[in-house]
Amino acid sequence: MEQKQFQAESKRMLDLMIHSIYTHKEIFLRELISNASDAIDKLYFRSLTDQTIGKSRDDFYIEIRPDQEKRTLTITDNGVGMSAEELEQNLGVIAHSGSRAFKSENTLDENTDIIGQFGVGFYSAFMVAKRVTVRTKAFGSDTAYEWQSEGADGYTIDTCSKADVGTEIILELLEDTEDEQYSEFLEEFRIRQLVKKYSDYIRFPIRMEVSREKLKEGSESEYETHIEIETLNSMTPMWKKNKNELTDEDYNKFYRDKFFDYNGAPLAHIHNRSEGAVTYNSLLYIPAKAPFDYYSKEYEKGLQLYASGVMIMEKCADLLPDHFSFVRGLVDSEDLSLNISREMLQHDRQLKLIAKSLEKSIKNELTKLLNTDREKYTEFWKAFGIQLKFGVYNEYGKNKELLQDLLLFHSSGCDDAEGYTTLSEYVTRMREDQKFIYYAAGETVTRCASLPAAELVRDKGYEVLYLTDNVDEFALQMMQKYQDKEFKNVSAGDLGIESDEDKTALEEKNTAAKDLFESMQKALEGKVKAVRLSNRLKNHAVCLSSDGDISLEMEKVLNTMPNAKKIQAERVLELNPEHPVFATLERLQTEDTEKLAKYSDLLYQQALLIEGMPLEDPVALSKLICELMV
Ligand code: ADP
């Protein structure tokens, strides 16, 4: 018999397969099952219009048969089969996509979609087999053919006897080595596991003979082995079912089984079918709790990706933006090719469209949750809110519009320290004369609330947001405004709450005390940029504020980052003109400049303490206090 050579490209592909490009050799089974399913699709499609085929949907199946003794694994289908020419064309030439040719010739209804794929699938058999035999009989033909190959040396085609239409692929597995146990592919449990993992939702039954131990009839203790035919796949994917058929319980159970999340039921699910520029089904979940590694580098975001019911990727990162990286779920599209590589996927236009529309539905779902079930949303916020705030900040604020209405903050407008407000709720509570959205930053709500400046703004009747996460202020700075209202740190710059007269009065007092401030600033050389009076203080004698974009709180955060360059806010020591301490300072300016220098230092360090900033030299401060006490 004539030994034929593979075409050049095919040979190269074959080489790649034999020296396996895939680390997961197990996917060969997925590929062969998928081909079998396509072949059945083709015949089923014809049977819809051709009565002579005499087959109904239920007659089609795929069978897997392991033979331990012969070390063979056989995959059989009763699909359309191949003629001699087709065998030659399909299995001798790589990159000829039979499926694609078929698809363009026919308009298919939704039961007969076929994956238009690029032909690497079949050759993956050579990752696990030393010899592959394909026995096939095309529909409408009397002759059956056998194709056989041991890989690189080419292949043979001969006639053979085969009663039924369809294809049988026999893999003679490679010998086990230290690294690879090919015989695992003959184990019942392993095959079952692989079918579940990759091909569960193939729409025709995948059957296998399995042995079961059963009690002997009439006996209570004696067992005998029964051979049964079992269907290994569940056939209808949950996400292809009609929403009306499914209960919350169904969704939750599927979530638990599929994503192994035992942290309780998910907070919400989003089940969609989209038909438009790209057709896909998606089933997404918003988990109730963050996985233990969520806020670490180890966490990998991504959705499972299926091409027509066949899983092609466990975690497709490109489907989820970072700000929604907590979402779990899957996407199944008929428009994707089965053998698309990771690199190609990144540039895939369809995939980008899907990602964009998923982002929109996730946002809508979160908005719905926020508006209809505040308690649940708060639970979500506690688990993943930080991620959304990073989302506002990252990529130079590209996503701030998308995310701003999903943000929650603690606030003086809430009933208690645990409460949260949205920005839009804050704005509806704003007073008519209010120009800014005020906020105070600190480690806890209590600390924020007790900042002198926060107290003052509150006393004037304005609401203050309490920012307790490191990222908060960075996010707000990125946003700058919400509904045209600027954000304003109560500890920085002009708060816009003083009357013009107050301002002028303060200005005058500042000018009058110019010499005093000069002396004080000299004493605090290198520590503060300026000393001045402020209306920001009610009961306190001093506070620190900052000029410029970096607030004191941001300075703290920036300096905790690894390898951070030392960053300093432009510190300003502000004094309360109404406080008796100020009168003392004025007196010392004329009577005792040495003491004035010491008092300045003391006040500065006090201000650091109030802000929760580290002291430069606590021992020196302690000494200074004692000195002033005697
Ligand atoms: P692809 O399936 O991506 O086109 P493959 O290399 O897996 O590439 O298969 C090449 C072609 O061989 C298929 O397009 C199909 O026409 C044919 N083929 C493979 N397996 C079968 C089968 N079980 N029954 C009928 N035709 C098959």
Side-chain angles (χ1 to χ4, degrees):
M1 196 185 346
E2 186 199 353
Q3 176 91 11
K4 301 187 182 191
Q5 293 302 308
F6 288 105
Q7 290 213 342
E9 299 126 302
S10 314
K11 219 173 145 98
R12 217 174 309 133
M13 178 60 77
L14 209 57
D15 271 349
L16 278 175
M17 285 301 157
I18 293 165
H19 307 112
S20 185
I21 49 168
Y22 287 119
T23 37
H24 298 300
K25 298 192 179 211
E26 62 188 37
I27 61 118
F28 81 92
L29 190 60
R30 174 192 86 175
E31 299 291 308
L32 297 182
I33 288 175
S34 156
N35 279 348
S37 163
D38 286 353
I40 294 176
D41 256 336
K42 288 177 191 167
L43 190 56
Y44 171 60
F45 179 70
R46 280 204 214 168
S47 74
L48 294 177
T49 48
D50 183 347
Q51 302 302 325
T52 63
I53 293 174
K55 275 200 158 85
S56 73
R57 202 171 193 295
D58 296 340
D59 297 327
F60 293 106
Y61 65 89
I62 297 162
E63 188 195 76
I64 302 178
R65 202 173 343 112
D67 186 325
Q68 303 277 357
E69 272 161 37
K70 292 193 190 140
R71 255 185 101 74
T72 58
L73 186 66
T74 305
I75 294 121
T76 309
D77 66 69
N78 56 355
V80 69
M82 281 177 273
S83 66
E85 297 79 58
E86 283 169 330
L87 260 183
E88 179 92 34
Q89 240 190 9
N90 294 337
L91 304 187
V93 184
I94 208 101
H96 169 87
S97 174
S99 314
R100 189 168 291 157
F102 180 82
K103 197 166 186 172
S104 59
E105 275 166 30
N106 301 271
T107 3
L108 306 175
D109 74 13
E110 65 146 342
N111 272 325
T112 54
D113 64 86
I114 291 161
I115 309 158
Q117 43 181 288
F118 227 54
V120 292
F122 171 77
Y123 291 89
S124 64
F126 287 99
M127 294 197 293
V128 298
K130 58 181 182 217
R131 181 188 293 145
V132 179
T133 307
V134 180
R135 296 160 54 81
T136 185
K137 188 168 170 187
F139 173 74
S141 158
D142 294 330
T143 324
Y145 295 93
E146 183 174 283
W147 178 101
Q148 201 169 63
S149 170
E150 290 180 22
D153 293 337
Y155 58 93
T156 57
I157 295 180
D158 206 350
T159 52
C160 69
S161 71
K162 183 177 188 305
D164 304 321
V165 166
T167 303
E168 187 177 70
I169 297 182
I170 305 151
L171 310 181
E172 288 172 51
L173 296 183
L174 289 160
E175 302 305 330
D176 289 350
T177 65
E178 251 173 52
D179 299 334
E180 296 283 352
Q181 296 290 309
Y182 297 99
S183 46
E184 69 176 317
F185 299 122
L186 300 172
E187 308 281 348
E188 196 176 295
F189 89 95
R190 184 72 173 126
I191 295 170
R192 195 196 300 270
Q193 189 189 40
L194 289 178
V195 171
K196 270 276 165 217
K197 181 167 177 189
Y198 293 111
S199 315
D200 195 36
Y201 307 113
I202 289 286
R203 286 157 306 126
F204 301 100
I206 302 167
R207 295 186 195 148
M208 184 166 69
E209 268 187 5
V210 296
S211 45
R212 286 247 164 82
E213 297 293 310
K214 278 198 175 160
L215 271 183
K216 231 176 177 169
E217 234 180 58
S219 160
E220 299 211 336
S221 56
E222 263 190 274
Y223 284 86
E224 59 184 7
T225 309
H226 276 255
I227 301 293
E228 285 176 14
I229 294 187
E230 191 182 303
T231 298
L232 305 178
N233 55 331
S234 57
M235 291 194 278
T236 313
M238 162 97 178
W239 58 91
K240 287 235 172 142
K241 288 187 184 159
N242 199 322
K243 282 189 217 184
N244 308 335
E245 290 170 32
L246 297 164
T247 61
D248 280 351
E249 212 169 291
D250 293 331
Y251 282 114
N252 294 351
K253 181 182 177 311
F254 180 78
Y255 174 74
R256 205 178 47 233
D257 294 350
K258 184 105 186 144
F259 300 107
F260 310 108
D261 183 352
Y262 299 101
N263 273 328
L267 293 177
H269 63 259
I270 314 167
H271 185 185
N272 279 331
R273 170 159 183 87
S274 160
E275 284 167 46
V278 50
T279 306
Y280 66 89
N281 292 66
S282 63
L283 178 53
L284 310 183
Y285 289 93
I286 296 169
K289 295 210 172 66
F292 72 95
D293 62 348
Y294 183 64
Y295 289 105
S296 79
K297 275 206 210 81
E298 274 69 53
Y299 182 79
E300 261 185 84
K301 66 166 183 172
L303 299 176
Q304 288 190 349
L305 183 60
Y306 288 76
S308 299
V310 182
M311 190 173 78
I312 57 174
M313 205 187 278
E314 186 86 51
K315 274 204 171 145
C316 180
D318 297 319
L319 282 171
L320 279 181
D322 281 343
H323 43 269
F324 293 149
S325 61
F326 46 82
V327 172
R328 316 287 302 268
L330 56 90
V331 170
D332 185 359
S333 173
E334 283 119 72
D335 297 337
L336 292 171
S337 138
L338 184 63
N339 288 309
I340 193 161
S341 73
R342 238 163 241 268
E343 293 70 39
M344 273 157 74
L345 261 181
Q346 273 178 358
H347 305 290
D348 194 90
R349 203 179 60 87
Q350 317 269 26
L351 202 75
K352 288 208 170 92
L353 287 174
I354 298 177
K356 210 69 228 145
S357 97
L358 292 181
E359 182 183 48
K360 212 182 282 166
S361 22
I362 296 167
K363 162 152 186 204
N364 291 346
E365 185 65 29
L366 289 174
T367 308
K368 193 174 102 195
L369 201 62
L370 173 66
N371 294 333
T372 59
D373 192 339
R374 192 60 175 260
E375 207 174 301
K376 247 191 191 174
Y377 189 82
T378 306
E379 199 182 332
F380 157 76
W381 183 257
K382 285 181 180 161
F384 301 111
I386 291 197
Q387 191 63 19
L388 295 193
K389 293 189 281 195
F390 272 110
V392 168
Y393 175 71
N394 286 339
E395 295 183 74
Y396 306 100
K398 195 176 105 196
N399 298 300
K400 58 187 182 185
E401 304 275 320
L402 177 90
L403 300 172
Q404 62 185 5
D405 282 310
L406 295 173
L407 302 181
L408 293 186
F409 296 97
H410 294 299
S411 166
S412 65
C414 297
D415 292 339
D416 55 47
E418 307 284 298
Y420 288 102
T421 182
T422 64
L423 292 175
S424 112
E425 287 160 357
Y426 180 106
V427 169
T428 56
R429 287 189 296 261
M430 274 173 80
R431 290 170 38 156
E432 233 166 68
D433 64 334
Q434 188 174 344
K435 295 195 202 82
F436 300 112
I437 298 176
Y438 295 105
Y439 68 85
E443 286 84 45
T444 60
V445 169
T446 323
R447 284 219 28 97
C448 294
S450 63
L451 285 175
E455 209 179 324
L456 176 95
V457 174
R458 258 191 344 255
D459 279 357
K460 297 251 179 195
Y462 302 111
E463 181 173 346
V464 181
L465 297 177
Y466 297 143
L467 308 189
T468 52
D469 279 326
N470 285 347
V471 61
D472 287 346
E473 210 177 346
F474 294 90
L476 292 197
Q477 282 228 346
M478 194 54 86
M479 290 166 70
Q480 288 184 349
K481 287 176 183 181
Y482 175 79
Q483 290 187 9
D484 271 341
K485 310 276 191 272
E486 229 175 282
F487 293 107
K488 185 74 147 179
N489 188 337
V490 292
S491 303
D494 183 355
L495 294 178
I497 48 182
E498 298 145 276
S499 66
D500 286 346
E501 290 118 63
D502 285 353
K503 268 190 202 163
T504 325
L506 189 71
E507 216 37 62
E508 279 164 13
K509 281 189 210 159
N510 262 319
T511 319
K514 220 174 102 228
D515 293 345
L516 168 64
F517 296 152
E518 250 168 42
S519 315
M520 288 183 77
Q521 206 180 327
K522 214 155 163 207
L524 297 172
E525 185 78 60
K527 294 177 179 163
V528 299
K529 191 194 132 206
V531 181
R532 66 179 168 231
L533 293 175
S534 122
N535 286 340
R536 208 191 300 278
L537 292 153
K538 201 177 57 143
N539 302 316
H540 297 71
V542 281
C543 72
L544 267 187
S545 72
S546 65
D547 282 354
D549 286 340
I550 299 176
S551 74
L552 297 165
E553 199 54 33
M554 289 166 88
E555 173 188 320
K556 264 192 263 175
V557 175
L558 290 170
N559 288 334
T560 57
M561 309 226 177
N563 308 324
K565 260 204 308 197
K566 200 94 188 116
I567 289 166
Q568 266 220 353
E570 294 180 7
R571 298 176 182 192
V572 177
L573 186 68
E574 295 194 351
L575 300 174
N576 183 352
E578 309 305 327
H579 201 282
V581 161
F582 181 60
T584 308
L585 295 172
E586 280 187 311
R587 183 171 51 79
L588 290 177
Q589 163 73 0
T590 50
E591 288 175 8
D592 187 348
T593 46
E594 209 174 303
K595 204 165 196 180
L596 176 66
K598 284 185 183 157
Y599 275 27
S600 302
D601 195 18
L602 186 60
L603 286 169
Y604 170 67
Q605 306 225 39
Q606 256 180 283
L608 284 179
L609 285 173
I610 294 175
E611 277 298 328
M613 310 286 290
L615 292 174
E616 276 147 39
D617 189 348
V619 179
L621 173 65
S622 164
K623 265 197 198 146
L624 179 62
I625 294 174
C626 291
E627 211 183 302
L628 293 169
M629 282 170 86
V630 290

